[in-house]
Structures are given as structure tokens and as C-alpha cells.
């Protein structure tokens, strides 16, 4: 749908500067995601750390002509003669107001989903259950925030028959705005958990906040077995139809009579409207069972018959809530989004693809690929409510705007619309079989490939063929968790405090390039690595952020100059050698970071005895210039060292202030690390360094924040071993009862510590503990699965979301850093984001 700029002005109550004709189809809050500038309305949002007004000049240069602002730029009629500026007190409130007025245009069922867990799964499963008979708009991925919800609701169009939107909150008072934007007719509460509990005084307060979404709904679906939820619903005096489900109370609207697990399926028998029926889902985990029950109650309320439900439930697919980045064959990189295929998710995936692409190159595990081709492999898109001609013209526009070089269409509908795809290098195939047998497939080389396929087309077969065949052990890296951890620590900082993110040791084993791209996207001030070669890898991958070298080698000075890397300086010998090398290259004013030793006694200048000499040498040359001065806390993770930390900080204050006084330019001061950011927020100064906390471990108490890395493998073989036998080298694994032993393809060469063997540690199989039996070998380990129903090929979690890395580090009396950085390079990294 399009709105004239005049109508938008009225809807959001803005004062308009400029009087040009224009229609608004696209809303933009992130300048990096611009695609169709001529019909884009940019909202210049202000946050603690950024201001959208900074990007007006760049967006105008790129073709945007409509802006919602808090302040109109000076001399706008001269600087931006063709632009319209809509001035409002709050661009965020205006964005929400516009979405709210857009929502008013639709008299259709709108499902609003909230809860601590399961929102996205319930949304996607409802989409799968309702899609065969209705045209649906749903939140893209996890767009459930104060910004994401209005952008989601904006997607409603003339063909929409049902809307499904998530609403997520993190603190009191947030749900009111989301409720007014979504205006749900059916409210769904999935679960109540600990997420964001730190911002609420009690679980009841959080539950009442979530229930605000249901206030004016016609019906509400929830589980009445949760006492807190039931109590809060009674308090809110809900006026609509309560569709409660329960496994205990036969008097509720949806009574779950029986749940029978028989791997890999679960059968749920229920009573709804006094009629007993059942359905089967292809999952056995508790979360999937509960989410399916919620979906069943909603679907039945919307008119899906029990027979249709029984037919559709077994076809539920695992929810792909993430874009996966995988290493492909022949120098290709795969972005796998083959579980979602609609025009909105295509736009998001293309945006992700474009951001992952640099102007000149990208890096595979072995090589730097120059000028790679951007390739999209797309299937027919079903159930859009738009004519095929219009739909594939839109697809073409998106691809052209995102710089796609090659288009491969699979399916009869996209093939019939080949003329609509305005890309010179395009090929079309009836189905996946014809594509896999073609020269087009075999000729794919050095390409960044986006896979977008509707479920019936079986794009998983394309992924299998294109994916590099490597070790069955993988490290999954959650890029969203990286951002969540970054924002967690940013919440302790003043808006002006800068952040250095440590990505040395290949980003603590997670893969420095992808982590760096994510951090650069979120505008961290500095990246820090150990040695120059790590910095070179980042530069070759297109990273332009400032990079600090924490352990510079004297043989690498030329490399640092060539790749714009800023070294730490910790000794006079290093300083003199660096100055000499810079002078030889004709360099002046090269930024360096002065390290002071306040008690670690590892590296650094003495802040009392050396600082005068440091200042004298720096002032009597112009090759290098101090950009920052810093030190390390010895024990910021423990109250036991508070007195020593205070003495360290006092020494640093003396040395750093003396250094600053000797120079007219600003020298950044930093001492807080991950633990210090939490423990000593008053000592954050100009900048802080985030290390272990970025990767999901709170160093103060070893609790997990948001898990970034999950190490997984599979069961290679199952073997029945009688009591009295042994397993593994040196007969260390003594079997005391008849047992089932599984071999898994991970060993100490992959980073699995040998000290975990002989039942000193365990992994998880279907969520159950499986101890390591016998000595861990170089490439294989054996685990005891005697009491765990499993089969060859089943997944094993070594550490991750359900088995924190701290459990392993505690078991072998070490620190999480060692476990994370030990994961070897032969373990494939798979990156994903919601």
C-alpha cells in the first residue's frame, strides 16, 4: 500500500517543510537497509548511542527525499532542495503512530503473540497451519520490538486476510504502545520465563505487563496450568473469550487428555467443544508440544476443523528462525534461508546478503575471493494474494536494487515470469532435479549465494550439494546473541563511553571475520586482536573499523602501516623500534595505545617511574601519537580484590592524567574489562574493553548471558558393550553394567579436552547427560547412552544453549576462555541470526 506524503503528514501530526509530490511505500529506520529510495520515508531515530539525523546527508545523496525528523537541518531548502522534512517531537512515536493508523484500515483477524519463549515458533507454526486456506502477513523473523512491531504491521496490504504479529517487551510500560499498534483481535500468551526479569520487580509484574496486549481482544489463548498466569488473568478482569488449555483441568476450553511420545513423533489427544480428537507432530521436545497445543487452540478458534488440523500438524516444519552462513564448495559462500519464501523475508535476506558483502572481496576459510558474484536461487513464492506478474516484478526490483548479478529461478511459476526478472544472467528450471543436473549448477564458482525456497521444492538438497563436505562436528555461532551481549554491557555505560570489543584468538573461537562484521554493523568504536596477522585477515575481509593490536611484533610494523592497524606500546624498546620504522616509511602521527602496568606485572610502563620518560620520548618525535592509554585490572571479577583494584585505579589515574596533561589532543583512557564494566561502572572513563562477556559468559559469577557458541556433533555408531568389558585406549573405560556406547566424531584434535574422559565430563543427547567413557581420542570420543533413547545420526551437544561452556571449564578446573578458544579450525563454523 502507498500513502501520499500529504496523508502521512496528517496521520502523524507533523509540521511539513518542503512541498513536493511523493508516495510512501517503504519505511526505513536503518540507513544501511535502503533499497527503494524514491518511495522510502526515513525516520531519524535517536538512541543512546546514535542519531539518525547524522545519515540524512548520505540518504539524500542516495535518492531519499522524505524524512521524519526531530530537528530540521539548517538551510534545508538550500542543502536539500527536493526533500520533504516532517518535523515531530519524536520520530519513534511518529513511526508507531503511522503504523497504528495503517492498522486501522483493516477489519480482519489479527493475532498478537507475547510471552517469554516460543513467540516466533508459535507465529511460524500458525502461519503454516493457516496458510493453505488464507492469505497471511506475519512479523518478519523476530521483529517484535518498539521499532520492529510498527515495521511489521506496515506490511499489511489489501490482500491480507489474517495478520500474525509478535510483541516483545524488556521493561515495564512498553506493551501499551505495541498493543495500540497491533490492536489484536486474538491474544496469545506462550509462556512465562526469566527473560528480562532483571527489569521487573516480580514475575507477576512482568506477566501483567504482557497481558496488556490482550486488554481489548475478543479472545485470549493461554495455558492455565501456570499459577502466576491464571492469577494475573483473574486480576485483569478480562472481558473476552478465554480459551485456556490445560493438562490438569478438564473444565477448560481446550483440555489435553493425553500426550504420547514415540520418537520421532508425539500424539496429542484433546477435547475441544466437547469433542475428542487428536493430532500428531514430528517433534518430541516439551517446548514443541506446548507450542503446538497453543497453535491448535488458535487454529480451531479461527475455523480450522479437527480433520484439517490432524492433516496439517504432521507437516509442521522446524522453524528456521535464522539465516545460516555456510562454507560452500568451489569458493562459494552460502546464505541459507530456504525455510522462508515470501517477498518480505526476501527483502530482509537480500539486505543481510548485501551487508555481508564488501565492495571488493570476501574471505573463505582459505582464500580471499575478489569481486565475487551475488547469486540468488529462488523458488516459486506461494500464497501472496498478488498476481504473478506483479509479484515477480517486485522480486526483480529487489534483486536489481541489491546488486544481484545472477538469478536462478526454480519452479513453473517463476519460470513463466522469466521476462519480469530484469537481470542479464538468469536461468530457470522446472524443479530442483533439473537444476542439480544442469551445467549452471556445476559451474557455480566464487559466488555469494542466497538460497530462498518454498518448502515443497526441497532446497535442502541444493544445500547438501553446494555445502562443503567437512567434519560432522560444527560450531554454531549465534550472531544475535553477540549483539544482545554487546547491548547488555552497553546498558551499564554512559552514552558517550566508547567500546573496544576483543576478537583475538579468532574471536574466542567463534570466527573473527563474521563477529567483526556484526560488531562493525553495530558501530563499536574499536576492535582488538592479538597480532597483526589477525588484523590483516579482518582488513582483507572488508572490515573498516579501528583495529587495535594488543601484542605487536617488531617484525610486523610494515604490515600494521599497510593495513591501518594501531599497536599497543608497552616498553621503551618497542616504542623506539616503532618510531624508527615509522620514520623509515615517512609516516607521521600514527595512532598508538600506551599500556601502563598498575599491578598485573605482565606488560606495560610503570605509571609512576616511567611516565615522565614516556612523555619525553613521545613529545620529541612526530612519527607516533598516543590515541589511548590503558591498564588491566587484576581481579575485577571478585570482591576479594576490591582494595587492590582501587590501588590499581589510583595508579592509573596518576599516570594517565599526567600523560594527558602533556598533550593538547584528547587521549582516551580505559581500564574496565567485561567484569569491570559491571563491577566498577564508575571507572568506565572514556572507553571500556569487552571480552568474555561478549561471548556470553559473565566473568563475575560465570553465569551465562546469551549463548553465542554451540559445539555440536552426531552419533556415528552405537555399540552394545557387556559388563566387564572396557572402552578406549589403555582399557581405561571400565563398563560395570551392560551398556550402550556411542562413538561421536570429536576428539582432542577438535578441542575436546582429554581431561573430560573417563566420566569426568558429559555431553547432551536429547537433553540428557551422556558421560564420556574411556580416554578421549584424537578424532573420536565415546559416550554412555545406555538410558537414552537415540539412534545413529542423532545430534549431540558438547556445549551450548543447554550445556553451558562453564560446566566443562569447571569440570576440568580451567576457565571458559580455554574451552572456547580450543575449538580447532577443522571444526566448521555455521553462523546464523534471527
Amino acid at each position: 500500500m502507498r500513502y501520499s506524503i500529504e496523508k502521512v503528514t496528517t496521520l502523524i501530526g507533523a509540521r511539513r517543510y518542503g512541498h513536493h509530490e511523493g508516495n510512501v511505500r517503504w519505511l526505513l529506520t536503518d540507513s544501511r537497509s535502503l533499497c527503494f529510495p524514491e518511495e522510502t520515508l526515513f525516520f531519524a531515530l535517536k538512541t543512546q548511542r546514535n542519531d539518525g539525523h547524522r545519515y540524512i546527508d548520505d540518504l539524500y545523496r542516495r535518492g531519499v527525499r522524505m524524512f521524519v525528523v526531530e530537528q530540521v537541518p539548517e538551510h534545508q531548502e538550500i542543502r536539500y532542495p527536493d526533500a520533504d522534512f516532517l518535523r515531530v517531537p519524536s520520530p519513534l512515536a511518529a513511526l508507531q503512530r503511522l503504523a497504528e493508523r495503517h492498522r486501522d484500515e483493516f477489519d480482519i483477524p489479527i493475532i498478537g503473540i507475547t510471552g517469554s519463549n516460543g513467540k516466533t515458533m508459535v507465529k511460524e507454526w500458525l502461519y503454516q497451519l493457516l496458510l493453505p486456506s488464507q492469505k497471511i502477513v506475519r512479523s518478519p523473523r523476530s521483529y517484535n520490538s518498539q521499532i520492529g512491531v510498527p515495521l511489521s504491521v506496515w506490511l499489511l496490504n489489501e490482500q491480507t486476510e489474517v495478520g500474525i504479529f509478535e510483541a516483545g517487551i524488556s521493561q515495564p510500560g512498553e506493551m501499551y504502545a505495541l498493543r495500540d499498534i497491533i490492536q489484536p483481535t486474538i491474544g496469545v500468551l506462550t509462556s512465562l520465563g526469566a527473560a528480562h526479569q532483571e527489569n521487573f520487580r516480580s514475575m507477576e509484574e512482568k506477566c501483567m505487563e504482557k497481558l496488556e496486549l490482550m486488554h481489548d481482544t475478543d479472545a485470549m489463548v493461554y495455558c492455565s496450568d501456570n499459577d502466576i498466569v491464571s492469577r494475573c488473568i483473574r486480576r485483569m478482569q478480562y472481558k473476552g473469550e478465554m480459551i485456556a488449555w490445560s493438562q490438569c483441568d478438564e473444565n477448560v476450553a481446550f483440555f489435553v487428555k493425553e500426550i504420547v511420545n514415540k520418537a520421532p513423533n508425539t500424539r496429542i489427544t484433546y477435547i475441544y467443544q466437547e469433542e475428542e480428537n487428536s493430532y500428531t507432530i514430528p517433534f518430541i521436545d516439551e517446548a514443541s508440544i506446548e507450542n503446538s497445543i497453543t497453535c491448535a487452540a488458535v487454529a480451531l478458534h479461527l475455523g480450522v476443523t479437527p480433520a484439517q488440523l490432524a492433516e496439517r500438524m504432521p507437516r509442521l516444519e522446524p522453524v528456521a528462525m535464522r539465516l545460516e552462513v555456510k562454507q560452500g564448495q568451489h569458493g562459494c559462500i552460502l546464505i541459507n534461508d530456504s525455510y522462508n519464501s515470501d517477498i518480505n523475508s526476501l527483502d530482509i535476506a537480500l539486505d543481510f546478503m548485501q551487508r555481508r558483502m564488501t565492495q571488493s572481496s570476501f574471505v573463505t576459510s582459505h582464500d580471499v575471493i575478489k569481486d565475487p558474484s551475488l547469486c540468488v536461487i529462488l523458488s516459486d513464492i506461494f500464497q501472496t494474494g498478488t498476481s504473478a506478474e506483479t509479484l515477480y516484478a517486485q522480486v526483480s526490483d529487489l534483486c536489481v536494487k541489491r546488486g544481484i548479478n545472477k538469478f536462478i529461478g526454480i519452479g513453473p511459476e517463476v519460470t513463466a515470469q522469466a521476462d519480469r526478472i530484469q537481470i542479464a544472467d538468469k536461468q530457470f528450471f522446472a524443479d530442483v532435479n533439473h537444476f542439480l543436473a544442469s551445467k549452471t549448477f556445476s559451474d557455480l564458482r566464487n559466488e555469494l549465494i542466497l538460497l530462498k525456497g518454498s518448502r515443497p521444492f526441497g532446497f535442502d538438497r541444493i544445500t547438501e550439494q553446494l555445502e562443503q563436505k567437512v567434519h560432522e562436528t560444527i560450531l554454531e555461532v549465534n550472531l544475535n546473541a553477540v549483539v544482545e551481549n554487546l547491548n547488555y554491557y552497553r546498558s551499564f555505560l554512559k552514552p558517550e563511553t566508547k567500546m573496544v570489543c576483543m576478537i583475538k584468538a579468532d574471536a574466542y573461537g567463534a570466527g573473527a571475520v563474521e563477529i567483526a562484521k556484526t560488531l562493525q554493523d553495530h558501530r563499536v568504536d574499536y576492535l582488538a586482536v592479538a597480532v597483526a596477522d589477525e588484523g590483516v585477515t579482518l582488513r582483507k575481509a572488508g572490515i573498516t573499523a579501528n583495529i587495535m593490536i594488543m601484542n605487536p611484533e617488531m617484525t610486523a610494523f610494515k604490515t600494521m602501516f599497510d593495513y591501518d592497524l594501531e599497536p599497543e606500546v608497552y616498553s621503551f624498546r618497542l616504542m623506539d623500534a616503532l618510531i624508527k620504522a615509522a620514520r623509515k616509511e615517512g609516516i607521521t602521527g600514527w595512532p598508538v595505545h600506551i599500556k601502563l602496568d598498575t599491578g598485573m606485572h605482565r606488560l606495560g610502563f610503570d605509571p609512576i617511574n616511567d611516565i615522565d620518560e614516556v612523555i619525553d620520548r613521545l613529545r620529541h618525535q612526530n612519527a607516533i601519537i598516543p590515541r589511548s592509554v590503558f591498564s588491566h585490572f587484576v581481579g575485577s571479577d571478585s570482591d576479594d580484590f576490591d582494595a587492590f583494584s582501587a590501588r590499581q585505579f589510583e595508579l592509573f589515574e596518576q599516570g594517565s592524567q599526567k600523560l594527558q596533561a602533556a598533550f593538547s589532543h584528547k587521549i582516551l583512557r580505559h581500564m574496565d574489562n567485561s567484569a569491570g564494566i559491571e563491577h566498577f561502572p564508575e571507572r568506565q572513563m572514556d572507553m571500556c574493553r569487552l571480552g568474555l562477556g561478549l561471548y556470553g559468559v559473565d566473568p563475575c559469577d560465570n553465569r551465562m548471558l546469551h549463548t553465542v557458541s554451540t559445539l555440536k556433533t552426531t552419533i556415528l555408531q552405537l555399540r552394545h558393550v557387556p559388563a566387564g568389558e572396557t572402552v578406549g585406549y589403555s582399557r581405561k573405560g571400565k563398563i560395570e553394567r551392560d551398556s550402550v556406547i556411542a562413538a561421536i566424531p570429536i576428539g582432542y584434535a577438535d578441542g575436546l579436552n582429554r581431561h573430560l574422559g573417563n566420566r569426568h565430563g558429559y555431553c547432551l543427547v536429547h537433553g540428557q547427560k551422556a558421560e564420556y567413557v574411556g580416554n578421549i581420542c584424537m578424532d573420536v570420543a565415546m559416550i554412555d547412552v545406555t538410558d537414552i533413547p537415540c539412534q545413529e545420526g542423532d545430534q549431540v551437544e558438547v556445549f551450548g544453549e543447554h550445556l553451558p561452556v562453564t560446566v566443562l571449564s569447571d569440570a576440568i578446573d580451567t576457565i571458559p576462555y580455554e574451552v572456547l578458544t580450543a575449538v580447532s579450525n577443522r571444526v566448521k563454523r555455521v553462523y546464523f541470526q534471527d
Side-chain angles (χ1 to χ4, degrees), residues 192 207 293 344 347 402 413 453 618 665 672 676 762 786 797:
L192 193 64
C207 185
I293 295 169
N344 296 321
D347 185 28
R402 299 293 186 187
E413 187 173 279
L618 287 172
H665 72 277
D672 270 351
Y762 63 87
T786 304
E797 182 175 318

Side-chain angles (χ1 to χ4, degrees), residues 43-53 70-71 91-92:
F43 289 79
L45 304 183
K46 284 186 176 181
T47 66
Q48 275 194 332
R49 299 193 165 271
N50 209 356
D51 184 349
H53 295 77
E70 188 174 330
Q71 298 102 23
L92 174 59

Side-chain angles (χ1 to χ4, degrees), residues 176-248:
Y176 297 97
L178 302 187
R179 178 195 66 195
D180 291 344
I181 297 166
I182 299 173
Q183 302 171 45
T185 59
I186 302 170
V188 176
L189 181 64
T190 57
S191 67
L192 193 64
H196 304 297
Q197 187 58 48
E198 68 274 9
N199 297 327
F200 294 89
R201 290 172 295 181
S202 65
M203 201 68 101
E204 285 82 358
E205 182 186 40
K206 181 165 66 176
C207 185
M208 291 301 294
E209 177 74 20
K210 290 181 181 295
L211 288 173
E212 278 298 328
L213 181 65
M214 323 293 174
H215 193 272
D216 298 316
T217 58
D218 299 326
M220 173 171 55
V221 176
Y222 67 98
C223 176
S224 63
D225 292 341
N226 185 305
D227 291 337
I228 294 175
V229 171
S230 294
R231 190 162 60 247
C232 288
I233 288 174
R234 287 194 295 271
R235 279 178 55 193
M236 74 178 288
Q237 298 181 332
Y238 181 67
K239 300 290 195 301
E241 180 183 356
M242 290 191 285
I243 308 173
W245 67 264
S246 171
Q247 298 182 60
C248 308

Side-chain angles (χ1 to χ4, degrees), residues 97-389:
R97 173 76 172 173
L98 180 58
E100 184 180 337
R101 297 285 69 82
H102 179 63
R103 165 66 182 91
D104 290 343
E105 298 293 318
F106 299 89
D107 184 18
I108 58 175
I110 298 288
I111 304 167
I113 306 171
T114 190
S116 300
N117 304 103
K119 295 186 292 295
T120 301
M121 184 175 287
V122 167
K123 177 197 69 184
E124 292 298 324
W125 280 1
L126 281 173
Y127 177 76
Q128 293 178 35
L129 292 171
L130 300 175
L131 184 62
S133 54
Q134 294 177 296
K135 296 177 178 66
I136 299 166
V137 165
R138 70 198 193 281
S139 304
R141 303 196 174 275
S142 297
Y143 277 33
N144 58 26
S145 67
Q146 298 291 310
I147 298 172
V149 168
L151 294 177
S152 299
V153 170
W154 182 256
L155 299 175
L156 291 168
N157 58 63
E158 296 91 338
Q159 289 79 37
T160 307
E161 294 175 326
V162 177
I164 311 175
F165 302 110
E166 295 181 45
I169 57 168
S170 59
Q171 56 190 17
E174 289 187 332
M175 188 60 83
Y176 297 97
L178 302 187
R179 178 195 66 195
D180 291 344
I181 297 166
I182 299 173
Q183 302 171 45
T185 59
I186 302 170
V188 176
L189 181 64
T190 57
S191 67
L192 193 64
H196 304 297
Q197 187 58 48
E198 68 274 9
N199 297 327
F200 294 89
R201 290 172 295 181
S202 65
M203 201 68 101
E204 285 82 358
E205 182 186 40
K206 181 165 66 176
C207 185
M208 291 301 294
E209 177 74 20
K210 290 181 181 295
L211 288 173
E212 278 298 328
L213 181 65
M214 323 293 174
H215 193 272
D216 298 316
T217 58
D218 299 326
M220 173 171 55
V221 176
Y222 67 98
C223 176
S224 63
D225 292 341
N226 185 305
D227 291 337
I228 294 175
V229 171
S230 294
R231 190 162 60 247
C232 288
I233 288 174
R234 287 194 295 271
R235 279 178 55 193
M236 74 178 288
Q237 298 181 332
Y238 181 67
K239 300 290 195 301
E241 180 183 356
M242 290 191 285
I243 308 173
W245 67 264
S246 171
Q247 298 182 60
C248 308
D249 183 1
E250 297 182 8
N251 298 313
V252 297
F254 190 105
F255 175 59
V256 181
K257 183 177 180 180
E258 184 181 42
I259 298 175
V260 178
N261 286 108
K262 190 173 182 180
N265 300 318
T266 302
R267 189 181 77 250
I268 293 99
T269 302
Y270 64 92
I271 298 175
Y272 178 73
Q273 293 184 344
E274 300 182 352
E275 183 180 332
E276 181 174 318
N277 288 284
S278 66
Y279 64 83
T280 300
I281 59 172
F283 308 98
I284 61 172
D285 61 287
E286 185 175 337
S288 293
I289 293 168
E290 292 184 359
N291 289 329
S292 80
I293 295 169
T294 298
C295 290
V298 175
L300 291 168
H301 175 73
L302 286 173
V304 174
T305 67
Q308 290 172 324
L309 192 69
E311 177 189 357
R312 296 172 186 177
M313 279 286 190
R315 299 201 296 263
L316 288 180
E317 296 277 356
V319 174
M321 295 179 287
R322 61 204 197 184
L323 290 158
E324 293 182 327
V325 182
K326 298 182 177 183
Q327 186 72 49
Q329 298 187 53
H330 309 303
C332 293
I333 296 289
L334 311 180
I335 299 176
N336 184 21
D337 193 25
S338 58
Y339 288 101
N340 293 288
S341 186
D342 57 70
I343 195 71
N344 296 321
S345 68
L346 175 63
D347 185 28
I348 293 169
L350 287 169
D351 179 44
F352 178 85
M353 183 184 198
Q354 191 176 52
R355 293 198 197 187
R356 254 33 201 175
M357 176 65 195
T358 67
Q359 292 182 345
S360 59
S361 63
F362 67 87
V363 176
T364 71
S365 58
H366 303 292
D367 303 291
V368 178
I369 307 301
K370 294 292 183 181
D371 300 320
S373 173
L374 298 185
C375 173
V376 169
I377 304 177
L378 180 75
S379 77
D380 289 352
I381 299 176
F382 297 141
Q383 300 290 334
T384 65
T386 304
S387 70
E389 293 81 2

